Amino acid sequence: MTAATLDVIAIGNAIVDVMAPAEDSEIARLGLAKGGMTLVDDARARELYDAMGPAREISGGSAANTLAGLAALGARCAFVGQVADDQFGRVFAHDIRAGGIAFDTPAREAEPPTAQCLIFVTPDGQRTMNTFLGASQFLPAEALNESAIASASILYLEGYLWDPEEPRRAMRKAIAAARSAGRKVAFTLSDSFVISRHGDDFRALIAAGQIDILFANEHELASLTGIESFDDAMAAVAKNVPTLVVTRSENGAHAISAGVHAHVPAEHVDTVVDTTGAGDQFAAGFLFGHVRELPLADCLRLGAVCAAEVISHYGARPEADLAKLTAEILG
């Protein structure tokens, strides 16, 4: 196997986040599921956008956010995702390239427009996400650069993008390309609603040994396994996944790899401003440690530091110097 020229290549939704503060009463008035993620159509997206107060527009998408954290730590990264040839698409492409991440998926000429995620952030820091997938759900398998996938140590896949049929085919093709090249495949389950729709697919991939690193939170783990006991659910999945990583919010994170079980507490944060992107940045820190072959506990600590940074401000991408924040762990 040739040496990798990329640390991580990721496939995910190419989304522009539109974020605004909101009171709990507004969440209820709009009929939103507080703290969750709901897919919406173009009409509902326009309705919610009109209901928002002053907002910030920031390039997002789960896997793209993870790459932003990885690149900030010094990793070599590339992203595959579909935008439209419109203003939001140009904003997304500029932002991701400005972060030092390779991005060469051609923009789509036809409708629908570039994807948007309308995020209402309540005073307790919880984010209620309403995602219009737009152009991102039309990522074709033909857009994949298989040589780039083969050149990356890790292929990272976003569970959210498993929902539309076309990108699901692209991701299956990418998994085959990565495994053929002897590379690792990492997968994030993303949300319990995704598991409710595609859990059989995910369980089949796991049982077939197609996933090397699996990211989940404790609720997603329970949805995937149907097992109430956290420890029993961890053990059940770890039998078929070389590295399992599960976050538990303020209760820290656990991982099992090669029979080793590690746990780290959550990092202290004075004020939780916005939990958007916490899991994405946790994955960034963990993967950065993993590609550098750090001990399992140190990979978890890197994830915890990155997650703590992002929940201390609005937005799903780091604003502080992650390399400086993690210098003690990295040595």
Side-chain angles (χ1 to χ4, degrees), residues 237-304:
V237 177
K239 290 188 296 185
N240 294 310
V241 175
T243 300
L244 172 63
V245 183
V246 184
T247 57
R248 307 188 79 182
S249 300
E250 68 274 9
N251 295 316
H254 295 252
I256 299 176
S257 184
V260 175
H261 187 165
H263 167 258
V264 298
E267 291 286 308
H268 174 73
V269 177
D270 288 334
T271 303
V272 176
V273 175
D274 171 22
T275 57
T276 307
D280 302 336
Q281 295 310 321
F282 189 96
F286 186 93
L287 288 172
F288 189 75
H290 186 84
V291 296
R292 277 150 183 75
E293 300 181 347
L294 296 184
L296 190 62
D298 285 347
C299 294
L300 288 174
R301 288 177 63 203
L302 286 169

